[in-house]
Amino acid sequence: MAHFAELDSNNIVLRVIVISNTDVDANGGDESVGAESFTGSLVGFSENGAAWKQTSYNNNFRTRYAIIGGAYDPINDEFLKPDIGE
């Protein structure tokens, strides 16, 4: 199963969902814009949602698994931990 994070306009993770690998493969493969666009067309967006980005449950790419409240850094192509005041 493939995991996708919904991001708001500030790249904050709103939610994480699961999409079948078959659908990902049929729409460009892992980490592709096609798979992200397919996810948006299949699931849509929440009220503040602006984009979908694939995340790795096993931390195989984009540094770590997306966490609700965390952020996506488009410059470094990685998910960041939520800022919890540490």
Side-chain angles (χ1 to χ4, degrees):
M1 301 308 288
H3 297 80
F4 286 80
E6 183 182 23
L7 308 175
D8 70 10
S9 60
N10 294 313
N11 291 319
I12 302 300
V13 178
L14 301 174
R15 62 179 167 156
V16 179
I17 62 161
V18 177
I19 300 291
S20 78
N21 289 335
T22 302
D23 286 337
V24 171
D25 292 343
N27 289 281
D30 284 335
E31 300 180 74
S32 72
V33 172
E36 294 165 356
S37 295
F38 172 77
T39 301
S41 68
L42 180 69
V43 179
F45 292 95
S46 61
E47 181 178 340
N48 295 316
W52 289 96
K53 202 50 96 169
Q54 191 171 2
T55 185
S56 172
Y57 186 78
N58 297 312
N59 304 320
N60 293 329
F61 53 85
R62 297 195 168 122
T63 306
R64 67 183 44 83
Y65 184 70
I67 300 170
I68 295 171
Y72 172 70
D73 175 354
I75 303 297
N76 295 308
D77 191 28
E78 66 179 346
F79 285 99
L80 307 172
K81 293 179 182 177
D83 181 11
I84 55 173
E86 293 181 9

